[in-house]
Amino acid sequence: MAHANVLMVAEKPSIALSIASALSRGQMSTRRGSTDVHEFDGFFLGFRARFKVTSVIGHVFSVDFPAKYQDWSVTDPLELFHAPITKTESNPKAHICRHLSQEARGCGHLVLWLDCDREGENICFEVIECTGFHEPRRRVYRARFSSVLDKDILKAMDNLVEPNRDEALAVDARQEIDLKVGVAFTRFQTTYFQGKYGNLDSRVISYGPCQTPTLGFCVQRYLQITTFKPEKFWVLRPYIIQNGYELQLEWERNKLFDVDVATMFQKLVMEDGILEVNEISEKQESKSRPSGLNTVNLLKVASSALGFGPQMAMQLAERLYTQGFISYPRTESTAYPSSFEFRGTLGALANNPTFGNYVQRLLTDGYHKPQFGKDAGDHPPITPMRSATEDMLGTDAWRLYQYVCQHFIGTVSTDCKYVRTKVEFSIGGESFHCTGHHVTVEGFTSVMPWLGVNERKLPRFMKGEKIEVSKVELYEGSTMAPDYLSESELISLMEKNGIGTDASIAVHINNICERNYVQVQAGRKLVPTALGITLIRGYQCIDPDLCLPDIRSFIEQQITLVANGQMNHFHVVQHVLQQFKQKFTYFIKQIENMDALFEAQFSPLADSGRALSKCGKCLRYMKYISAQPARMYCGTCEEVYYLPQKGTIKLYKELSCPLDNFELLIFSMPGPEGKSFPLCPYCYNSPPFEGVDTLFGAIKSRTSGKLGKGAGMPCFLCPHPTCRHSVIAQGVCACPECSGTLVLDPVSAPKWRLDCNMCNCLVFLPQGAHRISTTRERCPDCDTTIIEVDFNKKTTPLEDGATLYVGCILCDELLHSLVEVKHGKSFSRRMRGRGRGRGRGGGKRGDPKMSFRDF
């Protein structure tokens, strides 16, 4: 009979040992190599065979750029999108590739025992490459298994299949996309920001298509907390004493946000004073036992109940798996296959000192099939495989193992059943109720007590019974901001939005912690750092896609098409990289927007800025940073507001914008003839009116429609119909030089003047007046706004020492004689007919150009 040589390769040395022990029934020899090699004789496909079982240690290769692309200072990050990639040994000192090549010599068959997920499939083809089994005539087999118990290994050996190249290529695609996108953004950001700010608290300012949306969730919650405004509410709480119990009743209206209305209801209830029992209902209810345990749910419970971070939980679970105590811990499935042996699994725990008694009762009285869950087609749910005690495992591993056992036992127990009693009352036209719970069957909650239903006994009531109220409390509370995201909540969000896989979720969360983007605080809450917040705010102001989960789910959908054999691996990679290259190019062009946030947060500018005016969103003071480009920075809202450049900024009498509640500022240009005007920081950065197309300071820039730095809408361009600072209220007449409007300069006293809101035309008004202001009246002849002048007593040109004078600067001879035009043509009543676009002197009736009457 022919003699075959068979090489078997597992993912870890401990799994190789389990496989060799099971197949040889312990009759094997072991020799040292890069990883141990176990040898024994047996039968393979009906032939006598010599077996060699060895292992890799995870991925044999990792992807990187060739050496010429490694120098950050030489390579433009944009080139990386088209750069070639190379595969190099992940752990060169271990010499795994050489080891596999040597062991494969003389072997005609290769059996791959890698973990049964996409990553494992990818490692299969790495092993095939190292061993030379990609040549024709050399046979390759794939073993599929979910636990390292002897029976599961023997079963896998009897059902060998072929490795799946499509799944392996899907991992290649993801590796290439993540490398190119991550490195391009990371290099550009790190070089750009670390070159400017010395106090950034991270070595590398990294970007990752999974890592960044993960951070985005944490920052989104942080922003919800900081912008939260609590609201007061009131709840009516009557108390009764029944059979010696004091009971507080629940109000059907729950809560009200108006104290006067709540007080009225309290009065009605107190005036009545007698409750009537309207209805008593009893209802049988049940709490369903859990379905099978998958990786995501294990990580959530580990974080919320056991206090283990996802990274640590996965390390403990991996160890329990390789030691044979639990099944493979990376699975998306919560449904058990129809062939699953529940009795055998329970039997393994029947003598366990912790769970044995409960398990024996299940075996005697009959266990139940678990609730139907989701079958992802990978591995069965995480299940205990062998009995263990705390002494065998150590405290941390035991706590995780204990939960896996409790969950599994819970899935095959009965549901929890209880009776819910509700008693409904009425008093003073208002409805109240109280509820009680009585557990009839504990079911799975006796092994998972934290999920149990709280017993609440009620005293006996009779329908129609009348009961005196002992007191009526009006409780005052406030709505609460949400808490920081817990790890458990973050894992749920990642799973729901398709970020990461059961294998990588823990890695992404660990990355954002290690890079100082978030800190894990008490209760495993994730609190973003200043750097994490600024990064996400930066992406949001340039291209929100970069930090939204949609971008990752788009990549995952494309990769799944490769894994299912529906799309070509090369085309998918090119398609996704093309999308990201466009985003990267746009990101570079817009980086100044992100830089403004970094500068305000990290440079000494944030320290040197001085508190100047209140933010309309949070009502806290914003800092004025005078260094170019001048801007306001709200530290609470993490917002930057650009200002007109090359001038001085002051607070304008603590007046507020009626549109957004931001305090107004006065901007003054330098020089004796420099104009001054009020502006709202928010309106200046986000003009609220369409049609305000001539922005002050610069033209509208960039295809995105976003404003360039130093371009916006000051009050003298604002068409708000009632605001006293707008061009409607302060505009006087058309500019003789352009299509602009002459607007009263509010802080030019005592040298009062009008400034054009578009060109440099100035018109000096009567000098030395106490006060000059616009009125709501218009000149019947020329439609110019009538102004009111309060002359100085000593220098008044009016007879009898009168000081107050009202008139039109074009038609009134006295005022017209006191007006002087600078940087513009002189103008007189002859201008009356000139319609000037925005001009206040504008327009005969029927003039097609817009006049102020049209707003």
Side-chain angles (χ1 to χ4, degrees), residues 19-209:
I19 292 164
S21 303
L23 296 177
S24 70
R25 294 186 171 78
Q27 304 299 305
M28 60 187 184
S29 62
T30 300
R31 60 184 164 82
R32 293 258 175 260
S34 291
T35 56
D36 288 355
V37 182
H38 312 287
E39 295 183 274
F40 55 92
D41 292 319
F43 284 90
F44 183 69
L45 305 177
F47 296 94
R48 287 194 66 77
R50 178 72 177 166
F51 289 95
K52 289 198 279 188
V53 185
T54 187
S55 74
V56 293
I57 37 180
H59 272 284
V60 184
F61 298 112
S62 55
V63 292
D64 207 344
F65 294 107
K68 69 176 268 196
Y69 294 93
Q70 297 290 353
D71 187 338
W72 288 33
S73 58
V74 174
T75 306
D76 179 348
L78 193 62
E79 290 178 34
L80 298 175
F81 286 94
H82 300 294
I85 55 168
T86 58
K87 286 201 168 190
T88 55
E89 276 204 65
S90 304
N91 196 338
K93 288 182 181 168
H95 301 297
I96 295 293
C97 197
R98 189 180 72 192
H99 168 68
L100 292 175
S101 172
Q102 286 169 349
E103 295 302 330
R105 282 180 201 152
C107 291
H109 304 270
L110 174 65
V111 184
L112 299 160
W113 292 80
L114 284 308
D115 292 351
C116 297
D117 54 16
R118 281 186 199 168
E119 297 292 332
E121 222 59 35
N122 188 264
I123 302 171
C124 281
F125 286 88
E126 294 178 348
V127 172
I128 291 169
E129 187 67 31
C130 293
T131 54
F133 266 81
H134 48 278
E135 296 166 9
R137 299 193 313 278
R138 302 189 81 180
R139 297 301 307 277
V140 179
Y141 309 87
R142 173 75 159 108
R144 296 204 166 271
F145 61 104
S146 290
S147 95
V148 293
L149 290 186
D150 290 5
K151 64 182 178 65
D152 290 318
I153 288 168
L154 293 167
K155 187 177 171 187
M157 193 68 181
D158 290 338
N159 295 279
L160 296 175
V161 294
E162 285 189 20
N164 185 324
R165 182 169 284 279
D166 290 330
E167 288 200 352
L169 285 170
V171 174
D172 281 345
R174 183 193 286 120
Q175 286 178 343
E176 184 171 349
I177 291 164
D178 285 357
L179 173 75
K180 290 184 170 177
V181 172
V183 173
F185 275 93
T186 299
R187 281 194 194 177
F188 174 70
Q189 286 177 179
T190 305
T191 310
Y192 186 89
F193 291 120
Q194 291 203 324
K196 300 185 81 168
Y197 310 112
N199 59 341
L200 283 179
D201 39 6
S202 185
R203 199 167 41 83
V204 176
I205 303 167
S206 59
Y207 175 86

Side-chain angles (χ1 to χ4, degrees), residues 369-490:
K369 281 276 172 77
Q371 300 282 358
F372 189 74
K374 180 185 88 169
D375 183 1
D378 51 357
H379 290 273
I382 305 166
T383 309
M385 304 309 291
R386 272 175 40 204
S387 179
T389 60
E390 187 169 351
D391 291 346
M392 291 163 72
L393 302 179
T395 307
D396 289 346
W398 161 254
R399 290 176 66 214
L400 197 71
Y401 169 81
Q402 183 182 24
Y403 177 74
V404 171
C405 292
Q406 287 169 309
H407 192 108
F408 172 72
I409 297 165
T411 64
V412 294
S413 299
T414 53
D415 291 348
C416 167
K417 295 192 169 70
Y418 60 97
V419 178
R420 183 169 175 271
T421 309
K422 184 176 182 183
V423 185
E424 295 171 47
F425 306 85
S426 63
I427 177 171
E430 287 301 288
S431 301
F432 297 88
H433 66 268
C434 59
T435 49
H437 299 120
H438 171 57
V439 177
T440 52
V441 179
E442 278 191 22
F444 76 95
T445 63
S446 55
V447 76
M448 303 173 85
W450 59 91
L451 295 176
V453 174
N454 290 329
E455 286 262 350
R456 188 182 182 215
K457 288 186 176 147
L458 290 182
R460 292 192 69 76
F461 290 99
M462 301 284 287
K463 191 171 176 179
E465 184 180 353
K466 291 191 166 44
I467 302 161
E468 200 175 322
V469 173
S470 62
K471 65 178 176 192
V472 181
E473 176 184 276
L474 188 59
Y475 169 80
E476 180 186 298
S478 283
T479 53
M480 301 278 285
D483 204 345
Y484 287 105
L485 268 187
S486 67
E487 263 174 352
S488 183
E489 290 173 300
L490 178 59

